[in-house]
């Protein structure tokens, strides 16, 4: 659009001294008829410069902008934004930064008496995009008004020069080519109307003094935006429920709304000019003032700044949330800091409660996940204290009834159970945890009651110690009723509050947990009691499980130990040392066992085995198999026959046809059975799926004996093989279970090599050697039970054995008596001569009468004297009760009466009848 079209907008005549008339429609709508203004004594505008005219129009713009927003309040908002003081104010001089002319576009120019442009300001050149060189001296009508509107433009200009003001709108294009809408003000500058018949263009006529007009153009779009912003500002300050405030650059309150005044408890009129230090405590005021300085200097907003303060109209401290942002003028010049404040006291309380609930739920979840990771009683108690200290309290202890720890059944809350239950029974302090040094008020109970009914001073009790609470104390009451109690604060100055919570599981009170908070912490309330009871209830189940497991474990261990040989058993020709060690991780007992069985003829059966599985059933199965082994050994069966019989027994322990899963369980076991003859030093081995024995011969390396492994007991279907070896004097034989040489982290070959090395490098003393082997291998393999049986061979001296062969003749009876008595006399066993002579005569006579073949007589001296009579007959002697009329049948009765033990056993070529006499 050409610049000459700038004054073609519609308008209206304005009565001098009156402003705010309605603005007409923009071009191309024709202007309405101008109503002539009759002025008999029109006020004359004194000669003024362009700046004075702009000042006057500025006042009119301010008045027009203020009208839509409600009068004085909007004027104050404009003042808050830095507008120039109104004329007539008490202060004269240069205007402060932030004038309204920095927010709107204004252009001014002057029209001379001759109707041509006489002055053209720089703002006009920038506003219309026409330089002063082109504008000054130009006819405004022909320059800016379209040709079809020249006539109307000329008439309008003449009326203005005649003293009539005009206000209208006109489109324009600025220097950058952007289009806008301007509000144009035409005002006469001086003089009276020219005389009749004079031309307004005759500037040299003395009757027509020099005059002209002033023109002011304002960007209407920016003016309307300012009006809208002021209205919005008034709405925010006057109608929003949030508190709003303005601080000037000196950080003094410049304006607040009523919501802010209510928040701080002061009337709005009394807040103007105050600083943060006038409203809040020094610490909070300093925080707020530092935030204001930061926002004013950097321009970065601060959001949700929390601070506390007291309000005169309300009780207690309040908490506010403040958001601050900087007010900037043209050129990003700081004008102050605005902010919004909200009273978040109730929200803060709700947040604290919600945070407390979340913290408590997290604590309960942690307790569920952390407590009860093992079945060890002490570890479970420590895990409980790890959860509550220091997250929930500063000091805590766990006390459990001593009777329950020993396996006894405690009294229940329902009244069942045995014994008095007044809460004063002996307890054991299982665990203690504290972050407070020197606090002793929760460490025990004083048995001496005080005036208040229970001890004011609590006796100390460290972890592992025992204590008793007085019957009238809160602790005893909690144990008696199963309900939590909060005792009165004790004399310890470090503790503020104590909570006693009983540990109740399956309706049985196991003990109590005592929680204390130090000075500076909040005391326990009802919510804390509920959380503590929830944690205690979960922990009590874990503690009770650990207690029950310990009881069952100890019972199974006692059962298992009772089934093993007590101490180190004695054996002819062997030095025995044995060890049994349960697993290190406190799991269920296993089925490992060993045995040393004395057999007739100074022979010894060495047995070691392992029942597959764990727990009480494995221990019971082990006991059954051990008993069966001893019974079969007494029958003097060969090792292979013993294992075959054991295999049948193991398969009979379970009932395959039973519907019960436990009854139908198959019992499997491994076993090595060896019989050592001390006279010949020969040993016969049979193996049922067990690890092979280790033999360390003098001057040689330890080696694994090549014994066919066979199938485990309980599988069946395959016979067992025997291996016979002669063991040298001083040889060391080792029998063991897999717990010694195998684990999840160590291969079997590594364990076997370590075992052989330990035997080779060990001490000569057998007892010490066992301890060295266990100390070296057990730390690496502690996952399973360990059974270790070691035997060192000691050969019989030559004079300890007497062996003769006699023909099957009647004279052999007398010869046998003579040989036996002579052998005893040589060895100084005179007291046994008569008995031995009588018994040898009886056995040799039976061999001649009931046996066949040559007769062999052998005498053995060790810890006892054994006499053996061999023959080739297979018929076993059987003792019977002889009648009074019977001539025979009393010989074996005589042997049974005079000997400590007697018996018979089969041999590959006949039988042996023997008797034993003590030294």
């Amino acid at each position: 659009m050409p610049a000459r079209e700038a004054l073609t907008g519609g308008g209206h005549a304005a009565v001098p001294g009156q402003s705010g008339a309605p603005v007409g429609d923009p071009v191309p709508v024709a202007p309405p008829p101008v109503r002539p203004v009759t002025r008999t004594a029109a006020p004359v505008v004194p000669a003024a410069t362009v700046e004075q005219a702009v000042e006057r129009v500025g006042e009119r713009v301010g008045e027009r902008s203020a009208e839509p927003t409600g009068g004085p309040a909007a004027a104050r908002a404009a003042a808050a934004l830095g507008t120039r003081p109104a004329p007539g104010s008490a202060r004269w001089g240069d205007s402060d930064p932030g004038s309204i002319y920095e927010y709107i576009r204004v252009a001014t120019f002057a029209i001379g008496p001759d109707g041509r442009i006489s002055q053209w300001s720089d703002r006009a050149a920038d506003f219309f995009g026409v330089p002063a060189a082109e504008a000054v001296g130009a006819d405004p009508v022909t320059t800016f008004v379209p040709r079809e509107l020249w006539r109307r433009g000329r008439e309008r200009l003449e009326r203005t020069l005649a003293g009539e003001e005009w206000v209208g709108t006109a489109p324009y294009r600025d220097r950058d080519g952007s289009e806008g809408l301007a509000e144009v003000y035409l005002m006469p500058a001086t003089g009276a109307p020219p005389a009749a018949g004079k031309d307004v263009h005759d500037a040299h006529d003395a009757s027509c003094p020099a005059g002209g007009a002033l023109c002011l153009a304002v960007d209407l779009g920016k003016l309307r935006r300012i009006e809208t912003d002021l209205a919005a500002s008034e709405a925010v300050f006057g109608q929003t429920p949030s508190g709003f405030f303005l601080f000037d650059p000196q950080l003094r309150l410049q304006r607040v709304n009523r919501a802010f005044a209510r928040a701080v408890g002061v009337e709005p009129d009394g807040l103007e000019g105050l600083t943060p230090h006038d409203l809040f405590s020094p610490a909070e005021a300093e925080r707020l003032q530092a935030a204001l300085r930061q926002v004013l200097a950097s321009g970065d907003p601060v959001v949700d700044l929390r601070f506390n303060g007291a309000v005169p109209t309300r009780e207690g401290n309040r908490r506010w949330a403040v958001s601050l942002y900087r007010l900037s003028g043209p050129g990003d010049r700081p004008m102050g800091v605005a902010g919004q404040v909200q009273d978040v006291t109730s929200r803060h309380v709700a947040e604290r409660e919600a945070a407390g609930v979340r913290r408590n739920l997290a604590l309960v979840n942690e307790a569920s996940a952390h407590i009860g990771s093992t079945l060890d009683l002490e570890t479970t108690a420590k895990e409980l204290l790890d959860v509550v200290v220091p997250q929930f309290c500063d000091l805590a202890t766990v006390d459990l009834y001593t009777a329950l720890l020993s396996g006894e059944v405690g009294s229940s809350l329902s009244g069942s159970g045995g014994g008095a239950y007044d809460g004063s029974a002996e307890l054991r302090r299982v665990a203690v945890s504290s972050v407070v040094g020197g606090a002793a008020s929760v460490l025990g109970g004083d048995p001496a009651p005080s005036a208040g009914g229970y001890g004011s001073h609590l006796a100390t009790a460290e972890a592992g110690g025992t204590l008793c609470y007085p019957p009238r104390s809160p602790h005893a009451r909690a144990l008696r009723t199963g309900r939590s109690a909060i005792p009165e604060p004790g004399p310890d100055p470090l503790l503020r509050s104590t909570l006693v919570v009983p540990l109740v599981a399956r309706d049985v009170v196991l003990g109590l947990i005592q929680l204390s908070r130090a000075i500076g912490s909040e005391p326990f309330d009802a919510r804390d009691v509920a959380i503590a009871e929830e944690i205690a209830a979960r922990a009590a189940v874990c503690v009770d499980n650990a207690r029950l497991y310990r009881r069952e474990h100890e019972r199974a261990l006692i059962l298992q130990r009772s089934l093993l040989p007590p101490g180190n058993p004695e054996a002819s020709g062997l030095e025995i040392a044995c060890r049994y060690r349960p697993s290190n991780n406190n799991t269920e007992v296993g089925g490992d066992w060993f045995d040393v069985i004395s057999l007739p003829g100074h022979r010894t059966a060495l047995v070691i085995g392992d029942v597959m599985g764990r727990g009480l059933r494995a221990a019971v199965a082990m006991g059954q198999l051990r008993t069966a082994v001893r019974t079969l050994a007494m029958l003097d069966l060969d090792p292979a026959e013993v294992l075959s019989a054991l295999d049948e027994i193991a398969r009979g322990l379970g009932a395959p046809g039973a519907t019960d899963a436990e009854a139908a369980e198959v019992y499997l076991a491994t076993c090595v059975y060896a019989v050592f003859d001390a006279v010949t030093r020969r040993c016969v081995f049979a193996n049922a799926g067990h690890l092979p024995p280790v033999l360390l011969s003098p001057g040689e390396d330890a080696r694994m004996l090549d014994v066919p492994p066979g199938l485990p007991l309980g599988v069946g279907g395959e016979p067992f093989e025997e291996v016979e070896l002669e063991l040298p004097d001083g040889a060391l034989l080792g029998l063991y279970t897999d717990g010694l040489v195998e684990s999840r982290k160590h291969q079997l070959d590594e364990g076997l090599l370590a075992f052989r090395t330990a035997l080779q490098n060990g001490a000569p003393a057998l007892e010490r050697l066992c301890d060295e082997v266990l100390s070296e291998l057990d730390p690496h393999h502690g996952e399973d039970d360990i059974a270790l049986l070691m035997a060192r061979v000691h050969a019989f001296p030559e004079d300890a054995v007497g062996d003769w062969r006699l023909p099957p003749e009647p004279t052999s009876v007398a010869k046998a008596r003579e040989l036996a008595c002579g052998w005893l006399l040589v060895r100084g066993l005179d007291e046994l001569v008569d008995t031995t002579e009588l018994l040898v005569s009886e056995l040799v006579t039976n061999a001649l009468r009931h046996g066949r073949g040559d007769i062999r007589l052998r005498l053995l001296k060790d810890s006892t004297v054994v006499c053996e009579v061999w023959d080739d007959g297979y018929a076993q002697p059987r003792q019977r009760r002889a009648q009074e009329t019977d001539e025979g049948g009393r010989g074996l009765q005589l042997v049974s009466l005079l000997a400590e033990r007697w018996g018979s056993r089969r041999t590959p070529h006949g039988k042996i009848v023997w008797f034993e006499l003590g030294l």
Side-chain angles (χ1 to χ4, degrees):
M1 183 179 65
R4 60 175 177 270
E5 299 177 3
L7 299 179
T8 60
H12 69 279
V15 178
Q18 183 177 357
S19 63
V23 179
D25 296 331
V27 177
V29 179
V34 178
R35 185 179 62 185
V37 179
T38 304
R39 304 183 184 180
T40 56
V44 178
V45 179
T49 63
V50 173
E51 288 76 5
Q52 292 171 325
V54 169
E55 181 71 30
R56 179 182 176 189
V57 175
E59 298 170 11
R60 294 169 54 86
V61 172
E63 294 172 1
R64 291 173 53 84
S65 301
E67 287 179 3
T69 60
R76 289 197 304 272
L81 293 173
T83 57
R84 183 186 298 272
S89 65
R91 183 165 60 89
W92 287 80
D94 297 335
S95 173
D96 293 334
S99 171
I100 192 174
Y101 300 113
E102 296 182 7
Y103 296 91
I104 61 175
R105 298 185 65 191
V106 179
T108 59
F109 59 92
I111 300 176
D114 57 355
R116 295 183 179 275
I117 298 174
S118 60
Q119 297 184 43
W120 188 260
S121 65
D122 292 340
R123 287 180 177 265
D126 182 71
F127 195 95
F128 294 107
V130 179
E134 297 181 9
V136 175
D139 185 350
V141 176
T142 59
T143 302
F144 297 111
V145 178
R147 179 180 296 274
E148 63 271 15
L149 300 177
W150 278 4
R151 180 178 177 183
R152 295 184 180 179
R154 179 69 61 189
E155 293 176 354
R156 186 170 301 159
L157 180 59
E158 289 177 352
R159 290 196 297 271
T160 301
L161 295 176
E164 181 179 305
E165 292 183 0
W166 179 84
V167 179
T169 60
Y172 75 95
R173 184 187 300 273
D174 58 15
R175 179 180 296 178
D176 299 331
S178 301
E179 295 184 359
L181 184 65
E183 191 169 39
V184 182
Y185 299 82
L186 291 177
M187 297 164 288
T190 186
K198 297 295 184 178
D199 190 356
V200 296
H201 298 285
D202 190 359
H204 302 286
D205 195 334
S207 63
C208 183
L214 295 177
C215 182
L216 180 105
V218 180
D219 189 334
L220 193 59
K222 290 190 175 183
L223 182 62
R224 293 294 180 263
R225 282 197 296 272
I226 290 178
E227 292 176 351
T228 303
D229 293 344
L230 290 175
S233 175
E234 179 62 24
V236 168
F237 270 84
Q239 301 176 16
T240 181
S242 302
F244 278 88
F245 56 86
L246 293 175
F247 278 93
D248 61 16
Q250 288 73 37
L251 302 185
R252 295 188 301 268
L253 276 174
Q254 196 172 20
R255 186 182 178 192
V256 301
N257 65 350
R258 289 195 173 276
F260 178 84
R262 286 194 303 269
V264 298
V266 182
E267 291 296 327
D269 296 339
L271 292 172
E272 187 173 357
L274 299 182
T275 64
H277 287 277
D278 298 327
L279 297 173
F280 308 110
S281 63
E284 299 295 334
E286 190 60 35
R287 289 181 59 237
L288 180 57
Q289 192 156 357
L292 291 171
R293 293 194 192 100
Q294 175 187 346
V295 173
L296 189 63
S298 64
D300 297 329
V302 172
V303 180
D304 201 26
L305 173 65
R306 300 292 181 95
F307 66 97
N308 303 317
V311 177
T313 58
R314 299 184 182 181
E315 295 182 358
N317 286 342
R318 311 298 296 175
R319 188 167 181 85
W320 295 284
V322 177
S323 297
L324 306 174
Y325 55 93
R326 188 175 73 180
L327 292 177
S328 301
D332 201 26
R333 175 176 49 82
M335 298 175 58
V337 179
Q340 180 183 8
V341 62
Q342 287 185 334
D343 189 336
V344 294
T345 304
S346 58
R347 185 173 68 184
H348 176 67
V349 173
E351 289 176 352
R352 288 186 59 186
E353 293 181 354
V357 171
R358 288 193 297 269
R359 183 172 59 253
N360 293 336
L361 290 177
L363 191 65
V364 173
N365 291 336
E366 183 182 0
S368 301
H370 188 69
I371 301 174
S373 61
T374 68
L375 287 174
D376 180 72
L377 193 61
E378 286 75 13
T379 302
T380 303
K382 291 178 182 178
E383 289 173 346
L384 168 59
L385 298 190
D386 290 340
V387 171
V388 298
V389 178
Q391 294 87 342
F392 186 75
C393 62
D394 301 312
L395 195 152
T397 62
V398 176
D399 302 332
L400 300 178
Y401 278 116
T402 306
L404 293 177
L405 297 178
S406 61
E408 298 180 14
V409 180
S411 299
S412 66
L413 294 176
S414 60
S416 61
Y421 199 69
D422 58 357
S424 61
E426 185 181 71
L427 296 100
R428 182 175 298 277
R429 179 136 297 161
V430 181
V432 178
S433 180
S434 174
V435 294
V436 181
S441 294
V442 296
L443 294 181
D446 188 356
S450 66
Y454 64 96
S456 59
H457 297 277
L458 298 174
T460 59
E462 300 297 335
T466 59
L467 69 158
C468 296
Y469 291 108
R472 298 181 60 186
S473 65
H475 306 76
R477 184 170 62 253
L479 291 171
R480 185 169 54 251
T481 63
R483 298 179 181 177
S484 303
I486 300 180
E488 294 295 329
D492 196 324
L494 298 179
L495 300 180
R496 180 177 184 181
S497 179
T498 299
L499 174 62
V500 178
V501 183
L503 294 172
V504 182
R506 302 173 178 93
D507 201 34
V508 175
V509 178
L510 308 175
L512 59 82
I513 174 174
Q514 196 167 189
L515 313 170
S516 293
R517 288 180 177 175
I519 294 297
S521 304
E522 296 182 359
F524 291 106
D525 55 15
R527 181 173 297 173
D528 294 331
V529 173
I531 294 300
E533 290 177 346
E534 178 66 23
I535 296 176
R538 300 180 182 224
V541 175
C542 298
V543 169
D544 195 48
N545 290 340
R547 179 188 65 85
L548 295 175
Y549 170 76
R550 169 178 289 187
R551 184 183 67 182
E552 297 302 322
H553 178 76
E554 290 178 351
R555 290 179 177 178
L557 200 58
I558 292 173
L559 173 63
Q560 187 177 34
R561 290 187 181 276
S562 65
L563 297 176
L564 297 176
N568 290 329
E570 296 181 356
S572 297
L574 294 175
E575 179 187 358
I576 302 294
C578 52
R579 295 290 186 273
Y580 172 77
R581 180 171 294 182
S583 59
N584 294 339
N585 56 7
N586 202 27
T587 57
E588 293 181 334
V589 296
D592 297 9
W593 95 90
F594 63 90
D595 205 349
V596 178
I597 307 171
S598 296
L599 299 178
H602 287 279
R603 295 175 305 138
T604 303
L606 303 177
V607 187
I608 194 164
D610 184 5
V611 177
M612 298 182 185
R614 308 194 63 80
L616 192 59
R617 295 179 61 84
V620 171
M622 177 269 291
Q624 292 175 314
L625 291 178
R626 178 175 178 266
T627 303
V629 168
R630 296 189 71 88
T631 303
L632 295 172
M634 291 297 100
L635 297 178
D636 207 2
L637 300 176
D638 293 335
E641 294 176 342
V642 171
L643 293 185
S644 298
L646 279 179
D647 181 64
E648 293 292 337
I649 294 173
R651 282 187 288 173
L653 292 179
T659 57
D660 186 5
E662 293 185 355
E665 181 180 355
V666 176
Y667 288 88
L668 299 178
T670 62
C671 180
V672 169
Y673 186 87
V675 176
F676 174 75
D677 190 337
V679 178
T680 62
R681 300 195 314 275
R682 302 194 66 82
C683 188
V684 181
F685 296 91
N687 189 356
H690 201 79
L691 294 174
V694 175
L695 178 64
L696 177 62
S697 299
E700 299 180 5
D701 293 336
R703 61 188 178 93
M704 314 296 297
L705 295 181
D706 187 13
V707 180
L711 296 177
L713 302 177
V715 176
E718 291 291 336
F720 297 96
E721 300 182 31
E722 294 181 353
V723 173
E724 184 175 0
L725 299 175
E726 182 177 350
L727 303 182
D729 187 16
L732 179 64
L733 182 66
L735 304 177
Y736 54 93
T737 57
D738 57 352
L740 182 67
V741 295
E742 186 179 18
S743 69
R744 288 192 295 266
K745 297 181 180 179
H746 298 83
Q747 298 295 327
L748 178 61
D749 294 340
E750 298 177 3
L752 292 175
L753 177 60
F755 181 43
R756 296 196 301 271
T757 304
L759 291 181
Q760 293 176 192
N761 302 329
L766 199 57
E767 291 290 336
R768 185 177 176 184
L769 178 61
C770 286
D771 295 334
E772 290 180 355
V773 169
L774 289 178
S775 62
E776 183 173 348
L777 273 68
D778 191 26
H780 304 287
H781 315 289
E783 300 173 358
D784 196 3
D785 293 3
I786 295 174
L788 176 63
L789 176 61
M790 302 183 71
R792 176 169 280 135
V793 177
H794 294 288
F796 261 34
E798 294 182 359
D799 62 347
V801 179
D803 196 348
W804 306 274
R805 291 185 177 272
L806 302 173
E809 300 175 355
T811 59
S812 296
V813 177
K815 185 64 175 179
R817 288 196 300 266
E818 180 183 354
L819 293 174
C821 293
W823 188 85
L824 292 175
L825 291 174
V826 171
R827 288 157 183 79
L829 302 176
D830 300 358
E831 68 277 6
L832 300 180
V833 170
D834 294 339
T835 304
T836 303
E837 182 180 11
L838 178 61
L839 297 182
V840 166
S841 176
E842 180 66 28
L843 293 184
V844 172
T845 301
N846 287 341
L848 287 173
R849 181 177 299 180
H850 304 290
R852 62 183 181 180
D854 292 342
I855 299 172
R856 181 181 178 185
L857 175 64
R858 189 170 74 167
L859 293 176
L860 306 173
K861 176 181 176 294
D862 189 18
S863 58
T864 61
V865 173
V866 176
C867 178
E868 298 178 343
V869 177
W870 304 46
D871 66 75
D872 296 339
Y874 290 100
Q876 296 290 326
R878 183 170 61 87
Q879 182 181 358
R880 64 184 181 85
R881 183 177 298 275
Q883 302 296 325
E884 295 180 355
T885 58
D886 293 341
E887 295 183 358
R890 294 179 176 85
L892 292 181
Q893 291 182 0
L894 184 63
V895 173
S896 175
L897 180 63
L898 297 178
E900 289 190 359
R901 291 194 307 161
W902 80 279
S904 66
R905 57 188 177 93
R906 294 182 301 172
T907 65
H909 305 287
K911 67 177 180 297
I912 299 175
V913 181
W914 57 272
F915 67 87
E916 181 179 305
L917 298 176
L919 296 178

